[in-house]
Amino acid sequence: MKEIQVHDKKFRILVPSEKIQAGIAEVAGKINRELAGQKPLFICVLNGAFIFASDLLKKISIDCEISFIKLASYHGTTSSGEVKTLIGLDENVKNRTIVILEDIVDTGLTIETIVKQLSVYEPKGIKIATLLLKPDAYKKDIPIDYAALKVPNDFIVGFGLDYDGLGRNLEDIYVLSSPS
Ligand code: IMP
Ligand code: MG
């Protein structure tokens, strides 16, 4: 079994690139059917979703637009001490069908934050498309409309996902070999 090293940890292949592409093609097909005529605005959440967004968009055949956002952390005054705010959105979202493109939905905290902040701009509807979903970790009620692949509740790198900055460039998806 091929192992790779990222920083101090060893990872093994979980999903090879062909299987990733098949999952992405399936999501693209659904979106092409379900959102035809709605000219959706895809919003890619940087940094992690950039490769997923790129491969997915090449398979979208309906009229659409794409934009990019980031979640910036700052230390606020809430009890948790950290507030995340959405930056980079310059498109008019009002009355548009939005499809948020995420790399991974884990606990769902991030996607919940994004949906809340986007809702303020009164879109027609918000759909969520994620490369990866960890069903055993997901704790929120927001429906995940499109998930290319489901993964176990373990740490993942590759295809846009990083471990401390490294691994985003890997063509396959890897999982921690022996959780330490
Ligand atoms: P959530 O807010 O718990 O759903 O986590 C979402 C964010 O945490 C993702 O956008 C990733 O940036 C990061 N994340 C969660 N799980 C992993 C993982 O297994 N590998 C790398 N990043 C992860
Ligand atoms: Mg992310």
Side-chain angles (χ1 to χ4, degrees):
M1 170 81 65
K2 185 182 154 203
E3 276 201 326
I4 59 157
Q5 177 110 13
V6 183
H7 289 299
D8 57 332
K9 292 190 172 26
K10 287 195 166 57
F11 291 83
R12 61 177 169 79
I13 285 207
L14 182 68
V15 191
S17 65
E18 312 82 68
K19 217 180 141 194
I20 302 172
Q21 293 303 330
I24 294 175
E26 206 173 302
V27 166
K30 278 188 196 153
I31 291 175
N32 286 331
R33 285 192 298 277
E34 294 176 12
L35 303 184
Q38 298 195 37
K39 207 187 281 183
L41 171 63
F42 290 94
I43 297 183
C44 169
V45 184
L46 296 172
N47 293 325
F50 78 111
I51 297 180
F52 171 51
S54 167
D55 283 356
L56 179 78
L57 264 284
K58 284 179 276 183
K59 295 185 170 80
I60 296 295
S61 54
I62 58 173
D63 275 2
C64 65
E65 292 178 48
I66 181 152
S67 185
F68 301 85
I69 59 166
K70 231 178 163 157
L71 279 181
S73 307
Y74 62 88
H75 295 283
T77 52
T78 63
S79 53
S80 73
E82 201 189 24
V83 181
K84 287 204 165 180
T85 180
L86 194 153
I87 58 168
L89 189 69
D90 45 18
E91 270 69 16
N92 192 2
V93 161
K94 192 164 179 169
N95 294 329
R96 297 288 305 269
T97 296
I98 305 299
V99 184
I100 301 170
L101 301 181
E102 254 289 25
D103 53 356
I104 186 164
V105 174
D106 189 324
T107 63
L109 197 64
T110 304
I111 205 72
E112 185 186 57
T113 302
I114 295 168
V115 167
K116 268 189 194 158
Q117 295 194 28
L118 275 178
S119 299
V120 174
Y121 299 100
E122 299 176 21
K124 182 179 167 201
I126 298 178
K127 302 275 185 191
I128 296 163
T130 186
L131 172 70
L132 304 175
L133 172 65
K134 290 181 177 174
D136 295 339
Y138 187 59
K139 297 276 188 292
K140 307 290 179 184
D141 297 325
I142 302 169
I144 305 302
D145 304 279
Y146 310 104
L149 300 158
K150 289 179 180 153
V151 290
N153 200 3
D154 298 316
F155 193 74
I156 306 287
V157 292
F159 212 86
L161 289 100
D162 72 305
Y163 166 41
D164 208 5
L166 294 183
R168 293 195 197 276
N169 54 308
L170 296 163
E171 199 180 9
D172 308 292
I173 288 170
Y174 291 79
V175 65
L176 205 55
S177 272
S178 42
S180 49

